[in-house]
Amino acid sequence: MLNAGDVAPDFALPASAMELIQLADYRGQHHVVLYFFNKDHTPGGLAEAIEFSDRVREFARHDTVILGVSLDECLAHEVFREQEGIEFELLSDTEGEVSERYHALKKWEANGVVRYGIERSTFVIGKDGVIRHAFYHVAPKGHAAQILSLVQSLG
């Protein structure tokens, strides 16, 4: 697991419109809220995305960008963003490599079949690239407001 004080693992992932987003591009300029969610259009994924989207401008006032990551394809993210009015980037980690680096990718076996999925997790990364807050086993309802309060205290 990653903890506060750890350097956030860098990555480059495609966003919903297929442009490559790299964490290092935000260093020195913005704090980043990086959250991992299970899937587009699921009740939890929808609730969390809408709550973050409703606060995009408040996060921006504190020099903070929001990035959501799941195993979904870019096209699925684009449809989800358009249908639900999501106002921040959703990144596609189809191979699960970035999710694994952040310890958000979970493996389980059921009836002899190995499956992978995302454990809902959120990281508040400072402008210096250091993780300020790390949360695993996140409940989506009310989570964005909690993260906004933490971001407001970063200065």
Side-chain angles (χ1 to χ4, degrees):
M1 288 194 162
L2 294 173
N3 297 296
D6 292 342
V7 174
D10 195 23
F11 62 82
L13 286 174
S16 52
M18 296 300 291
E19 76 261 21
L20 206 57
I21 302 290
Q22 187 168 348
L23 182 62
D25 291 343
Y26 298 101
R27 189 160 293 145
Q29 299 176 42
H30 299 283
H31 304 296
V32 175
V33 171
L34 179 67
Y35 83 95
F36 293 83
F37 65 104
N38 209 15
K39 198 160 178 50
D40 296 335
H41 301 289
T42 61
L46 180 60
E48 194 169 21
I50 288 174
E51 286 190 17
F52 273 119
S53 190
D54 287 348
R55 292 168 176 82
V56 163
R57 284 166 192 75
E58 293 173 67
F59 278 102
R61 280 196 285 276
H62 297 280
D63 296 326
T64 303
V65 297
I66 302 163
L67 300 173
V69 179
S70 79
L71 304 176
D72 292 301
E73 299 278 346
C74 292
L75 182 57
H77 280 331
E78 186 61 21
V79 169
F80 182 55
R81 285 184 73 218
E82 286 178 14
Q83 287 178 346
E84 304 301 337
I86 305 303
E87 297 185 30
F88 57 88
E89 291 295 347
L90 297 176
L91 309 181
S92 181
D93 185 23
T94 56
E95 300 299 316
E97 293 173 8
V98 174
S99 301
E100 190 170 14
R101 276 189 248 151
Y102 279 82
H103 304 275
L105 186 68
K106 296 300 170 194
K107 177 173 98 171
W108 70 94
E109 189 174 331
N111 301 324
V113 177
V114 175
R115 299 187 187 275
Y116 293 89
I118 298 290
E119 178 181 329
R120 195 174 280 110
S121 308
T122 303
F123 303 89
V124 177
I125 303 167
K127 292 179 183 181
D128 58 358
V130 174
I131 295 172
R132 302 294 178 212
H133 302 278
F135 299 93
Y136 292 93
H137 315 294
V138 170
K141 193 112 173 98
H143 183 62
Q146 173 193 19
I147 297 300
L148 179 59
S149 291
L150 294 172
V151 165
Q152 290 168 333
S153 71
L154 291 178

